[in-house]
Amino acid sequence: MIKAILFDFDGTLLNRDLSLMSFINDQYERFSNCIHHIPKQLYIDRFIELDNHGYTWKDQVYRQLVDEFKIQNISADELLNDYIKNFHHHCIAFPNLFKMLHLLKSQKYKLGIITNGKCQFQMDNIVALGLDKVMDTILISEWENIKKPNPEIFHRALQKLEVNAFESVYVGDHLENDIKAAKNVGMIAIWKKNTQWNNVEAEYVVDDLLDLPNIINKFIM
């Protein structure tokens, strides 16, 4: 019997692509006096390319942008600090996130998040979506001093929820860090479908988050 559902955050609960696009547009406008010599779409496209789906931390992204586009009057550190301070204002959830969580909560499942990332930055984003009020546990790699796909971070979450791996489901979008890692510790893995990966070997695939309760109730229990 399934007792707990754990989630990745970026790309699974948070629509990171839309959130990032919203932030970059806003940042460009707010600092247009320093970067107006760069066509807006070129700036956005290059940022997204360097960002590499979030797997390149933004200090490297901004240093590269400042160097490539010869940005003056504002430093990479200032742009980075602005990102850290303001990104959470642009967090956009995937459709039906809160309906899905309400259904799972009403069915007495324990809920949690395991996410890689900078501790306060990730928590600010989680709080921005109100997920801190819903989750029974939240593990962020920097706070835990360990990151996915290391199995230890999954084991810690399971211990906090007081459930076994075979009683738990993990939902994520990344092939290595989420799907394979969860399966390696004995959890059921559900892939949050995206365009980054093909031929993902997961027990189940979900595109609309609202389909998740039905998958769990009908096919897993």
Side-chain angles (χ1 to χ4, degrees):
M1 181 177 178
I2 299 302
K3 297 180 179 179
I5 319 296
L6 291 116
F7 299 90
D8 169 54
F9 181 63
D10 293 308
T12 300
L13 305 180
L14 174 76
N15 188 328
R16 190 178 177 280
D17 290 344
L18 288 184
S19 302
L20 186 63
M21 185 66 71
S22 173
F23 171 78
I24 302 169
N25 270 283
D26 179 63
Q27 187 179 60
Y28 183 94
E29 294 298 332
R30 286 186 291 105
F31 293 102
S32 60
N33 60 316
C34 301
I35 57 179
H36 67 274
H37 64 286
I38 311 163
K40 184 176 184 180
Q41 195 58 52
L42 176 60
Y43 181 83
I44 292 172
D45 290 345
R46 186 58 176 144
F47 190 109
I48 292 172
E49 181 181 15
L50 292 170
D51 174 69
N52 187 31
H53 301 284
Y55 292 101
T56 302
W57 181 235
K58 302 310 160 293
D59 57 347
Q60 299 176 50
V61 172
Y62 282 118
R63 282 199 298 267
Q64 187 70 24
L65 289 173
V66 167
D67 181 60
E68 282 187 21
F69 293 128
K70 297 179 171 38
I71 296 173
Q72 299 178 352
N73 300 321
I74 190 167
S75 68
D77 285 342
E78 289 173 302
L79 290 167
L80 173 64
N81 288 334
D82 179 71
Y83 173 83
I84 294 170
K85 180 181 178 181
N86 291 303
F87 181 85
H88 69 276
H89 296 305
H90 298 270
C91 287
I92 300 169
F94 277 109
N96 295 318
L97 169 62
F98 303 104
K99 290 181 181 179
M100 178 270 292
L101 292 174
H102 175 74
L103 285 172
L104 294 179
K105 272 290 189 183
S106 69
Q107 294 166 10
K108 308 303 181 183
Y109 290 114
K110 296 180 179 180
L111 303 179
I113 290 174
I114 306 173
T115 179
N116 287 346
K118 304 289 186 180
C119 50
Q120 194 58 56
F121 178 80
Q122 285 295 72
M123 185 55 74
D124 287 345
N125 297 337
I126 289 168
V127 170
L129 293 185
L131 297 180
D132 58 314
K133 299 180 177 67
V134 180
M135 297 297 162
D136 298 295
T137 191
I138 298 171
L139 281 74
I140 300 174
S141 63
E142 187 178 54
W143 272 336
E144 299 299 322
N145 200 29
I146 196 167
K147 63 191 297 187
K148 299 181 295 181
N150 192 309
E152 177 59 27
I153 197 168
F154 292 88
H155 289 307
R156 289 183 190 179
L158 295 172
Q159 289 170 3
K160 288 176 182 293
L161 293 177
E162 299 182 326
V163 296
N164 295 309
F166 64 84
E167 298 172 316
S168 306
V169 172
Y170 191 78
V171 185
D173 69 306
H174 194 280
L175 175 60
E176 299 291 338
N177 293 344
D178 297 325
I179 302 307
K180 288 186 178 180
K183 291 173 71 173
N184 285 341
V185 300
M187 301 175 71
I188 294 169
I190 298 180
W191 180 48
K192 174 62 174 69
K193 189 175 182 180
N194 62 27
T195 59
Q196 185 181 358
W197 303 97
N198 294 310
N199 302 317
V200 174
E201 295 183 6
E203 285 88 344
Y204 301 100
V205 177
V206 63
D207 190 8
D208 186 336
L209 289 174
L210 197 55
D211 293 335
L212 185 60
N214 288 333
I215 292 175
I216 294 169
N217 292 332
K218 291 182 179 180
F219 301 107
I220 296 177
M221 290 181 62

